[in-house]
Amino acid sequence: MASDGNGSNRIDTSRPHPARMYDYYLGGKDSYLVDREAAEQVVSLYPGIKEGAWLNRAFMHRAARRLAGLGVRQFLDIGTGIPTQPNLHQTVQRVAPAARVMYTDYDPIVLRHAEALLRGTPEGRIEYVEADVREPAKILAAAREFFDFEQPVALSLVALLHFVSDEYDPIGIVNELLTPMAPGSYVVLSHVTGDFEPEIWARIVDIYRNAGTPAQVRSREEFLRFFDGLELLEPGVTVGPLWHPEPGSVKSGDEKLPLYVGVARKN
């Protein structure tokens, strides 16, 4: 297990953290009062945030299973968050027991739980690296030691890029991460949008920004730019529940879930 060695055990409880707020939406217990108070502000504005968090995870699992079924055996998950069963490696290793998964996050509390993330199949391998998505060179350096970059890699950035505002050039970050990866690699993205309720999401963005998180929701057109030069898998960019849904899982109103998703192939 790798770490940056720069105070990994220091957990800042003076301000909310998006990973701990997300854990709260999922019903987890790894949050502090400051996280729960901020999360409840979001819930008061958008009561569907908790269901949306679970629908986002369901998309992640469907996408991971599909890519494992297409033969991908290497998965780089950035913005892992606090472990929630099933974790990504459990999903892909059910399909491909020898799959390799590298998790990356920058919240020290995730490092505290990395032992749970590192329990996989005997045939597979799992690694955890403490790093920020805004440090793509650092992530790639670790990934090169763990993966075979001559073979395809699935890059997972699920519910993450809405915490990377334009000033950090998120499109450039995605491109930098994908550039050294082999043809046949994939990127899996999900992203909150304000297209359906712009005023509410502007207020939610303010909650995160006031807590020090550079949040930014994006329109469908802005989200599509992350896939420039890549081959989108069917059905293209859509809202989370409509991407290859399980039979009978789609409910009325799901078409306006404020979460765009997409999976694309590097040719």
Side-chain angles (χ1 to χ4, degrees):
M1 177 171 61
S3 170
D4 64 6
N6 294 322
S8 298
N9 293 321
R10 292 198 298 269
I11 297 176
D12 183 1
T13 61
S14 67
R15 58 174 56 190
H17 191 283
R20 300 193 300 260
M21 292 173 66
Y22 189 68
D23 182 68
Y24 178 79
Y25 301 145
L26 291 170
K29 306 300 182 184
D30 293 293
S31 59
Y32 297 92
L33 179 61
V34 66
D35 305 305
R36 296 190 288 274
E37 288 178 343
E40 279 300 324
Q41 291 181 54
V42 175
V43 171
S44 70
L45 292 168
Y46 182 68
I49 190 72
K50 294 182 178 181
E51 181 184 14
W54 281 108
L55 290 171
N56 175 72
R57 284 194 65 81
F59 157 72
M60 179 190 74
H61 293 307
R62 295 197 305 277
R65 282 195 299 270
R66 182 164 291 264
L67 295 187
L70 290 173
V72 179
R73 298 295 180 263
Q74 304 182 121
F75 291 79
L76 174 57
D77 183 54
I78 303 178
T80 297
I82 295 164
T84 301
Q85 298 282 346
N87 294 296
L88 186 142
H89 71 274
Q90 294 167 316
T91 297
V92 300
Q93 288 181 346
R94 287 187 187 120
V95 179
R100 293 186 170 207
V101 178
M102 174 177 280
Y103 292 112
T104 302
D105 206 290
Y106 79 108
D107 183 3
I109 200 170
V110 180
L111 179 62
R112 297 272 185 93
H113 290 274
E115 183 180 356
L117 289 172
L118 296 172
R119 295 173 184 166
T121 60
E123 306 96 318
R125 285 191 60 196
I126 308 170
E127 180 63 285
Y128 178 83
V129 174
E130 187 176 10
D132 192 312
V133 68
R134 294 169 293 185
E135 305 173 297
K138 177 180 177 179
I139 294 172
L140 285 171
R144 287 182 185 279
E145 295 181 4
F146 185 68
F147 295 130
D148 176 2
F149 268 38
E150 297 298 315
Q151 299 299 319
V153 177
L155 172 63
S156 175
L157 298 157
V158 171
L160 177 63
L161 293 173
H162 43 246
F163 297 128
V164 184
S165 56
D166 284 347
E167 64 193 283
Y168 296 104
D169 187 18
I171 292 176
I173 289 171
V174 174
N175 288 337
E176 184 174 348
L177 289 166
L178 280 173
T179 293
M181 294 181 180
S185 293
Y186 292 86
V187 62
V188 179
L189 303 180
S190 67
H191 197 297
V192 171
T193 184
D195 281 356
F196 306 120
E197 297 177 288
E199 293 183 2
I200 287 175
W201 283 100
R203 293 168 67 186
I204 292 173
V205 165
D206 284 343
I207 292 171
Y208 281 96
R209 283 184 168 268
N210 290 338
T213 299
Q216 180 175 340
V217 295
R218 294 183 171 93
S219 67
R220 187 178 189 276
E221 290 70 25
E222 290 171 319
F223 182 58
L224 274 166
R225 291 182 58 205
F226 287 104
F227 300 104
D228 286 349
L230 304 173
E231 178 189 352
L232 272 164
L233 272 61
E234 292 295 333
V237 165
T238 184
V239 295
L242 302 187
W243 195 91
H244 294 282
E246 302 291 343
S249 65
V250 177
K251 307 184 302 298
S252 175
D254 279 353
E255 70 278 2
K256 288 194 175 181
L257 182 79
L259 183 82
Y260 288 128
V261 305
V263 178
R265 186 180 190 272
K266 176 183 176 181
N267 293 320

